[in-house]
Amino acid sequence: AFDQANNGRGGISSFNLRGLGATSTLTLFNGRRVAPRATNANIFPLQAVGRVEVLKDGSSALYGADAVAGVVNLISRDVDGFEVDLQYQTSTDLGDDTQDMALSAAWGLTDGDTSLNFFATYLQRTESQAADPFLKTSSGRVIPGFPGTFIVRTPAPTTGPLAGRPVGFRFVDPACGTVGNTRITGSGSSITCSQPTVTTLPFISNYDQTSVFVDGERRVNDWLTLRGEFLFSDLTDRPTEFINN
């Protein structure tokens, strides 16, 4: 499930089994919890994932309420040697200069009872202001802005600046027209404070992401094995806000 909330914010993807919401699907990494609630699957380096196990039945009795819809377990893999993967793609139908660039690297060493693996992924995605005609926003549309319009509701106020005004009376904030290119439109029962905008909601937001995963294992004897894991992920998201026309 790709998250388009927060004004087209990118870089957030979560597993959503049975359509019950991301918070109802538990995401595990090597059989262990990563977060108590919905987990961003993009934090794991792509090359580190060797296989994905999906438990499609509800597992709340074993894992808790965040596994009502099921469990997704990402299993890391072992590497012997060095791997590099570079991907670049662009699209002319999603706006000018819409580009994706991903660089992944993996290194692994196995020596008898000892193994060490290193994975890193860097993703850079540029913003797209345009999209399919059915999805993109229109240019020059007008939205309610702040300062805004206040409407007297029942019961009518007896104190304050709107005392004595009838129910349904519309009051425009006195600061409208002085900040943010807001302006008063309409009159009488349709008066309101509005803000004209250009096309601002991005279909794909601009973000960079770096993920690193390191794991090591040492077999001490037949009954004792030591294992350590380190996961780091940094997402820099720059969603576009509304821009005054």
Side-chain angles (χ1 to χ4, degrees):
F2 178 67
D3 184 7
Q4 278 285 8
N6 192 18
N7 202 13
R9 181 172 182 168
I12 308 297
S13 295
S14 303
F15 294 105
N16 181 8
L17 298 178
R18 303 179 184 273
L20 297 179
T23 57
S24 298
T25 300
L26 177 62
T27 302
L28 303 177
F29 189 59
N30 288 333
R32 289 179 289 276
R33 292 173 181 265
V34 179
R37 303 298 291 173
T39 301
N40 178 16
N42 290 342
I43 67 175
F44 309 107
L46 182 61
Q47 284 195 319
V49 179
R51 70 181 191 273
V52 180
E53 299 175 347
V54 179
L55 180 60
K56 296 182 289 184
D57 297 326
S59 306
S60 57
L62 182 61
Y63 292 102
D66 48 354
V68 171
V71 181
V72 177
N73 186 19
L74 305 177
I75 307 297
S76 63
R77 66 188 182 99
D78 293 328
V79 179
D80 187 10
F82 184 71
E83 299 177 4
V84 175
D85 181 73
L86 176 63
Q87 298 182 24
Y88 174 83
Q89 59 183 348
T90 183
S91 174
T92 57
D93 293 334
L94 292 179
D96 297 334
D97 257 352
T98 300
Q99 305 171 19
D100 277 12
M101 192 276 289
L103 175 62
S104 299
W107 175 82
L109 174 65
T110 301
D111 182 16
D113 295 331
T114 303
S115 65
L116 180 64
N117 298 282
F118 173 86
F119 304 93
T121 297
Y122 173 74
L123 171 64
Q124 182 182 68
R125 174 164 291 171
T126 60
E127 184 181 76
S128 173
Q129 288 286 351
D132 187 281
F134 294 100
L135 298 176
K136 70 179 181 180
T137 56
S138 59
S139 177
R141 66 178 180 170
V142 176
I143 63 170
F146 272 100
T149 305
F150 302 89
I151 304 175
V152 176
R153 298 299 186 187
T154 184
T158 57
T159 59
L162 297 180
R165 299 293 187 178
V167 174
F169 176 78
R170 300 173 68 90
F171 174 77
V172 177
D173 193 300
C176 184
T178 63
V179 296
N181 200 24
T182 54
R183 65 188 183 191
I184 297 177
T185 58
S187 61
S189 60
S190 62
I191 190 172
T192 188
C193 181
S194 300
Q195 181 182 34
T197 64
V198 296
T199 304
T200 54
L201 290 176
F203 179 66
I204 298 175
S205 65
N206 187 343
Y207 68 91
D208 303 331
Q209 181 162 351
T210 302
S211 299
V212 176
F213 174 69
V214 181
D215 74 320
E217 187 172 287
R218 170 70 177 177
R219 183 180 179 184
V220 180
N221 49 45
D222 292 339
W223 54 270
L224 177 62
T225 299
L226 302 178
R227 180 177 176 84
E229 296 180 350
F230 172 80
L231 175 65
F232 169 82
S233 183
D234 178 74
L235 172 64
T236 302
D237 185 23
R238 295 178 292 275
T240 301
E241 303 296 339
F242 282 112
I243 302 173
N244 292 332
N245 194 0

